[in-house]
Amino acid sequence: MTTEIKVDHVSLRLGDQNALSDLSFQLKGDKIYGLLGRNGAGKTSLLSLLASFREPTEGTVLINGERPFENQRVMNNVNFIYAKNQNDESETVKGMLEFAERYRPEWDAEYASKLVKRFKLPMDQKVKALSKGKQSALDVVIGLASRTPVTIFDEAYLGMDAPARSVFYEELIKDYAEHPRCIILSTHLISEVASLLEEVVIIDQGKLLVHEPVDILMAHGLSITGPAETVNRLTSDLRVLKQQQLGRTKSVMIYGQLESLRLSELERSGLELGPIGLQELFIYLTEHEGDGE
Ligand SMILES: Nc1ncnc2c1ncn2[C@@H]1O[C@H](COP(=O)(O)OP(=O)(O)OP(=O)(O)O)[C@@H](O)[C@H]1O
């Protein structure tokens, strides 16, 4: 069964903060989703609702039609991998893998051993004695080998160095192709994961900002460079995310759906058009007045 996640008018109050405010979107089908947002945007708060850790203050979260909170059936199908303090974890790597095997029905022991070798994890070492990067790698091994229908990685691979993260991305895409499931990656390393993502949800200050397939989102971003007067004349009615001027040359980043006629007009006018990377788009879309002051 493919997964359907429905977040319907969800708000979450934590202490005196509105961590999430009237958030609504649906994730339909087994895909690799990216959940993006600035620090404090509400990503972990949202994921904690999907993972049954909390209940929304208002609204409903449904995973395949069921509310996750205190629901064992849903909890068995959701694996929330997040960076946690494991300094007191006296279990060994082997023990942690055996534990995961007992509780995850889709566990693939052979795949887990292969991953343990790829990440060079010492099986008999206590988790608390592992480096931060190796602790993260162990989390990633458990997340991948569990093959849980909904697998959430919330910055779980943050402690891993660049070569280890690259092994993670490689394994994730390969294993997902062979065993499609709903994978949610919440990360600040946007450039690194951009090519893995099929759909992106961006939240900003607890509210939904964007929910689009990556190709559509990217097609909406365009950089336009040329003589300042021409750029000004032809972009005055467009949503400009960012502009820069050097002498008489101006460069603007715009966001929106442009008709092909409009695009050819821009090209005919001698302006240089180019794509905007996902990370840049994210930065401009989530920029607020006063940022960087
Ligand atoms: N236990 C808590 N009590 C009170 N407020 C909280 C609690 N946990 C989170 N918050 C607040 O809720 C908001 C959302 O936090 P959250 O951790 O979900 O953001 P995030 O997008 O995951 O951020 P980051 O990228 O920095 O990890 C923030 O304003 C945060 O201060």
Side-chain angles (χ1 to χ4, degrees):
M1 188 172 86
T2 63
T3 301
E4 186 162 325
I5 296 176
K6 192 168 179 192
V7 174
D8 190 21
H9 294 290
V10 162
S11 297
L12 178 68
R13 201 155 173 82
L14 294 175
D16 57 1
Q17 303 254 12
N18 280 324
L20 301 172
S21 306
D22 198 25
L23 196 63
S24 296
F25 65 89
Q26 284 185 55
L27 304 184
K28 288 184 182 172
D30 290 335
K31 294 179 191 163
I32 303 183
Y33 297 94
L35 175 63
L36 311 179
R38 304 272 297 264
N39 288 130
K43 301 178 298 295
T44 301
S45 304
L46 171 63
L47 296 174
S48 68
L49 299 178
L50 304 185
S52 325
F53 286 14
R54 296 182 196 277
E55 221 179 347
T57 314
E58 278 170 54
T60 43
V61 171
L62 296 176
I63 299 185
N64 294 331
E66 293 193 63
R67 287 173 196 253
F69 190 64
E70 290 180 346
N71 181 334
Q72 197 57 47
R73 217 174 13 248
V74 177
M75 281 150 85
N76 290 343
N77 286 321
V78 179
N79 201 352
F80 186 29
I81 309 292
Y82 59 100
K84 46 193 166 297
N85 182 341
Q86 303 192 89
N87 294 343
D88 294 326
E89 183 52 74
S90 51
E91 192 51 88
T92 59
V93 169
K94 188 162 174 267
M96 294 295 272
L97 296 173
E98 285 169 354
F99 184 79
E101 180 162 17
R102 270 201 298 282
Y103 290 98
R104 295 291 172 190
E106 290 93 355
W107 181 259
D108 183 334
E110 209 177 303
Y111 183 46
S113 312
K114 182 192 150 192
L115 291 173
V116 161
K117 286 197 191 85
R118 280 209 82 181
F119 287 111
K120 299 188 175 60
L121 287 170
M123 286 294 267
D124 296 320
Q125 195 151 327
K126 288 186 172 164
V127 173
K128 64 180 177 189
L130 294 175
S131 69
K132 288 277 172 290
K134 295 282 181 194
Q135 287 178 351
S136 299
L138 174 60
D139 288 341
V140 156
V141 170
I142 292 172
L144 287 172
S146 296
R147 299 236 172 88
T148 317
V150 179
T151 304
I152 300 169
F153 292 101
D154 184 11
E155 294 284 7
Y157 35 94
L158 206 57
M160 288 158 65
D161 60 19
R165 290 201 302 276
S166 149
V167 170
F168 168 56
Y169 303 141
E170 195 185 301
E171 287 296 340
L172 175 72
I173 198 81
K174 212 162 72 187
D175 198 57
Y176 166 76
E178 286 164 21
H179 305 274
R181 52 206 191 268
C182 171
I183 292 175
I184 303 176
L185 296 179
S186 175
T187 184
H188 294 293
L189 302 172
I190 301 173
S191 316
E192 286 190 10
V193 301
S195 64
L196 305 177
L197 306 177
E198 285 174 75
E199 218 167 287
V200 172
V201 173
I202 303 180
I203 54 175
D204 190 40
Q205 299 180 336
K207 299 191 175 83
L208 183 74
L209 189 68
V210 168
H211 176 207
E212 297 275 18
V214 170
D215 48 352
I216 305 254
L217 175 62
M218 302 293 285
H220 285 176
L222 187 67
S223 91
I224 304 174
T225 307
E229 343 36 298
T230 320
V231 171
N232 287 341
R233 181 166 49 81
L234 295 177
T235 60
S236 60
D237 59 332
L238 300 177
R239 179 174 170 198
V240 174
L241 298 175
K242 187 94 185 165
Q243 47 184 319
Q244 274 175 316
Q245 191 163 342
L246 203 61
R248 298 174 70 177
T249 302
K250 187 165 180 179
S251 192
V252 296
M253 307 284 173
I254 61 128
Y255 184 74
Q257 202 172 350
L258 288 191
E259 308 256 329
S260 53
L261 266 175
R262 188 72 189 271
L263 280 172
S264 21
E265 187 193 4
L266 292 168
E267 273 165 344
R268 265 191 284 112
S269 309
L271 298 177
E272 201 178 300
L273 309 185
I276 311 180
L278 182 60
Q279 173 151 309
E280 262 185 301
L281 255 183
F282 167 79
I283 292 171
Y284 301 144
L285 285 168
T286 57
E287 215 160 43
H288 295 283
E289 243 168 76
D291 279 357
E293 277 174 9

